[in-house]
Amino acid sequence: MTSDTPRRVVTGHDKDGTSVFLSDGPPPVIRTAPDGAHFYEMWGTGAMPAPIAPDEPDPTEISLTVPPSPNGTKIRVNEFPPGVVSPTHRTRSVDYGIVLTGEVVLVLDETETTLRAGDVVVQRGTDHRWENRTDSSARMAFILVDGVFTDDLKDRLGAEVLDGLMHSPLH
């Protein structure tokens, strides 16, 4: 862990129902994607509404997938080193991305925009990629919520697009 690794604090309950800290430290799962981006897996749920137990196995210690599990959620922090260009991808999810530090370019099919610290993007199942065109690392927090494409959107995208949705692990 480096000094800039995000800290994860997880709360829960002891045997008497008292609120306690279950863990406090670096996330237990940190992965590096083929493009060089770092994925700090912070937490995830496998259902909505999310079941809340007194304690539970750490949900981050599974294969790295970009979208959350069906009916699930995921929060992760991504670090984009200088020059990183992610693969173009689409997920069936609503993703809230918050730029914590640095600057990234969000590239869509025919347009792009630059996002800086403090900016928030709501990514809604669109084909996209992330690029860090600067000489400094950028960090973003992502909260991903499983989604369902409406029939209207499926008609617009076509079956071939749906077959190409990102489901597989990145490692």
Side-chain angles (χ1 to χ4, degrees), residues 50-149:
I52 302 171
D55 55 19
E56 61 187 276
D58 196 301
T60 63
E61 296 177 354
I62 58 173
S63 297
L64 174 60
T65 59
V66 173
S69 59
N71 297 314
T73 65
K74 187 175 284 199
I75 181 170
R76 74 165 42 103
V77 174
N78 284 17
E79 182 122 6
F80 300 103
V84 159
V85 176
S86 78
T88 300
H89 59 285
R90 178 191 314 265
T91 58
R92 193 174 7 231
S93 59
V94 175
D95 307 341
Y96 307 112
I98 305 154
V99 182
L100 303 173
T101 62
E103 175 179 301
V104 293
V105 178
L106 174 56
V107 181
L108 302 180
D109 290 330
E110 297 178 358
T111 188
E112 64 183 46
T113 192
T114 300
L115 301 164
R116 295 176 181 85
D119 290 346
V120 176
V121 61
V122 179
Q123 181 66 22
R124 302 176 53 249
T126 57
D127 214 15
H128 67 284
R129 74 176 177 270
W130 299 99
E131 298 183 6
N132 182 349
R133 298 176 182 169
T134 73
D135 58 2
S136 300
S137 286
R139 182 174 281 185
M140 289 186 71
F142 289 96
I143 298 90
L144 301 94
V145 180
D146 184 41
V148 177
F149 288 173

Side-chain angles (χ1 to χ4, degrees), residues 7-12 20-28 42-43 58:
R7 175 181 171 202
R8 185 185 79 160
V9 178
V10 178
T11 65
V20 296
F21 294 103
L22 297 177
S23 67
D24 183 348
M42 304 306 280
W43 199 255
D58 196 301

